[in-house]
Amino acid sequence: MSNKTLAIIKPDAVGKNVIGEIVAKITSAGFKVNGLRLIKLSAEQAGMFYEIHKDRPFYGELIEYMTSGPVVPLALTKENAVADFRALIGATNPEEAEAGTIRKLYGDSIAANAIHGSDSDENAANEISFFFRSNELV
Ligand code: CMP
């Protein structure tokens, strides 16, 4: 089992000015931050990152949304990182997310759901290398 995951604070949450609150929830839950950036994705970058979803009906909306404002990718480490992080952020749809989870607290809709978390160790490794060079990670 890997101990790494990749998070992205999404445009809705950056726009609400709650980067600090979300990072505090992540670090309070025991995650170490190994890399952190503030960037605006191009359509090409977002398309590459979400290639796995390219045949889904919501793909166009997803790319448009993820390029609508800056995002904050974070490379994170913790024992059981992928599963623990998904528990911390809650269900994809904020309406279905448990009380106290990041998506329940800060998400507005299934698209504008405040934060992304890798869904497997393999995707975590790929997603971390998408945003960070290994020599940039602490
Ligand atoms: P994320 O964890 O970033 O991975 C894919 C994203 O697609 C997901 O979060 C949601 O924000 C988004 N998504 C999933 N289902 C839908 C949907 N039905 N409509 C719009 N966006 C969706």
Side-chain angles (χ1 to χ4, degrees), residues 86-107 113:
R86 289 175 76 78
L88 178 68
I89 67 179
T92 305
N93 184 345
E95 280 179 19
E96 292 164 12
E98 275 186 48
T101 60
I102 292 173
R103 284 170 168 164
K104 187 67 168 188
L105 286 167
Y106 300 111
N113 64 355

Side-chain angles (χ1 to χ4, degrees), residues 8 10 49-50 52-53 56-59 61-62 65-66 86 89 92-93 103 109-119 127:
I8 307 174
K10 297 189 179 184
F49 185 81
Y50 281 117
I52 198 167
H53 295 307
R56 303 281 197 99
F58 57 83
Y59 179 73
E61 185 191 337
L62 177 61
Y65 167 66
M66 288 299 290
R86 289 175 76 78
I89 67 179
T92 305
N93 184 345
R103 284 170 168 164
S109 67
I110 196 160
N113 64 355
I115 193 157
H116 166 85
S118 307
D119 63 3
E127 291 177 5

Side-chain angles (χ1 to χ4, degrees), residues 7-28:
I8 307 174
I9 303 175
K10 297 189 179 184
D12 56 302
V14 175
K16 282 182 191 168
N17 228 4
V18 291
I19 296 171
E21 285 86 336
I22 291 177
V23 173
K25 290 225 30 122
I26 293 170
T27 53
S28 296

